């Protein structure tokens, strides 16, 4: 299957030269980070990045992905924003097209994931219009040429199902012949004022950093933290705890207010590595 771009020209530039330039700019070391350099890229097991339009959250995604020594194999856990298709959806073959070309799906890795997690269902419908995974691909095409990946979209499912996905991810990563990066994507609280959003997001980020999957699931429900990628995040920290990975590191946090100029209704974004 060739998955065609759904949000090029809206979430990110459709012109390939402009897109590559934007990705390079957003993933370059920040001027206020004197220790960052291309020679100091870090090896991580997993990361969490946002997935809004590049003008809002691209700088955070770029800072995270630009700081990582990216391997050639990547599992991406994204969101199923729209109620179409399977709620735990994987694609096991084909490629995803962006203005920068085609990014191949890693069929061998995808099949290992499916074998480890019967809950995963092969489904193109859930992926056809989903932007959360798509906006990551241009960053990877520029920063990790020749990579292959496994796309998984998670809808609204039970905590127990997310644990099952996470445990399968841990098994796949620990038994893979090559290093595999787990890339999860989520935005944080949506459409409340900036001050409220920062308080709520701090609670979610703390659970993410300490790998408290049950705590993250519960605090988002109890505090009404509208974290759209709760599923990918829960599955990711479940996998990391099973692998014995220690506490995460917050790379950068921001809200949409500095870009939109509106502090009354914002979205929160965080970049985290483990």
């Amino acid at each position: 299957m060739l998955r065609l771009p759904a949000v090029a020209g809206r979430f990110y530039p459709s012109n390939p030269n402009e897109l590559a330039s934007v990705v390079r700019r957003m993933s370059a070391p920040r001027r206020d980070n004197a220790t960052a350099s291309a020679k100091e890229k870090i090896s991580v097991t997993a990361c969490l990045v946002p997935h809004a339009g590049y003008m809002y959250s691209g700088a955070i995604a770029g800072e995270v992905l630009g700081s990582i020594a990216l391997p050639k194999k990547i599992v991406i856990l994204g969101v199923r924003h729209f109620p179409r298709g399977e709620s735990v959806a994987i694609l096991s073959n084909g490629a995803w097209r962006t203005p920068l070309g085609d990014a191949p799906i890693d069929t061998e890795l995808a099949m290992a994931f499916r074998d480890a997690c019967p809950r995963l269902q092969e489904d193109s419908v859930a992926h056809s219009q989903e932007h959360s995974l798509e906006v990551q691909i241009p960053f990877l095409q520029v920063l990790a040429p020749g990579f292959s990946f496994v796309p998984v979209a998670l809808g609204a499912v039970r905590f127990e199902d997310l644990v099952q996905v996470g445990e399968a991810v841990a098994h796949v990563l620990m038994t893979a012949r090559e290093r595999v990066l787990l890339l999860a994507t989520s935005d944080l609280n949506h459409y409340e004022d900036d001050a409220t959003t920062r308080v709520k997001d701090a609670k979610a980020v703390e659970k993410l950093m300490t790998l408290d999957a049950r705590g993250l699931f519960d605090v988002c429900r109890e505090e009404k933290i509208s974290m759209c990628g709760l599923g990918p995040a829960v599955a990711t920290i479940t996998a990391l705890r099973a692998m014995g990975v220690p506490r995460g590191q917050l790379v950068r946090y921001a809200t949409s207010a500095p870009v939109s100029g509106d502090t009354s209704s914002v979205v929160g974004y965080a970049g985290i590595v483990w």
Side-chain angles (χ1 to χ4, degrees), residues 56-67:
Y56 291 105
S57 68
I60 294 179
E63 185 169 348
V64 171
L65 297 173
S67 70

Side-chain angles (χ1 to χ4, degrees), residues 38 48 51 53 121 140 165 190 199 201 205 215:
L48 181 135
H51 56 244
Q121 298 295 313
L140 300 175
V165 173
H190 287 61
V199 170
D201 285 351
V205 167

Side-chain angles (χ1 to χ4, degrees), residues 103-257:
I105 292 173
D106 192 310
T107 298
E108 181 181 1
L109 190 61
M111 295 308 296
F113 197 1
R114 287 186 61 183
D115 289 344
C117 184
R119 184 72 176 81
L120 285 166
Q121 298 295 313
E122 191 76 21
D123 180 53
S124 61
V125 174
H127 287 279
S128 62
Q129 299 298 312
E130 180 51 53
H131 66 271
S132 66
L133 292 97
E134 179 180 332
V135 298
Q136 314 306 327
I137 304 301
F139 278 101
L140 300 175
Q141 287 175 307
V142 171
L143 298 172
F147 82 100
S148 60
F149 75 110
V150 177
V152 176
L154 297 175
V157 293
R158 302 178 307 156
F159 177 77
E160 292 75 17
D161 292 325
L162 298 172
V163 169
Q164 186 181 122
V165 173
E167 290 174 344
V169 170
H171 173 77
V172 169
L173 266 61
M174 288 189 293
T175 58
R177 294 192 299 270
E178 302 175 51
R179 188 166 75 89
V180 179
L181 173 70
L182 174 56
L183 189 162
T185 178
S186 180
D187 297 338
L188 299 181
N189 196 55
H190 287 61
Y191 310 136
E192 294 188 90
D193 66 85
D194 192 78
T196 298
T197 290
R198 288 176 180 274
V199 170
K200 287 188 171 185
D201 285 351
K203 296 177 181 179
V205 167
E206 177 59 24
K207 301 300 183 184
L208 284 160
M209 301 272 280
T210 57
L211 307 178
D212 184 356
R214 182 79 246 186
L216 175 64
F217 191 86
D218 290 344
V219 78
C220 284
R221 298 300 177 89
E222 293 165 3
E223 301 287 339
K224 294 182 170 57
I225 304 170
S226 52
M227 180 178 177
C228 58
L230 178 59
V234 166
T236 294
I237 57 179
T238 296
L240 294 173
R241 181 172 285 275
M243 297 171 69
V245 173
R247 179 185 175 93
Q249 175 183 345
L250 179 64
V251 176
R252 188 175 173 187
Y253 172 82
T255 71
S256 58

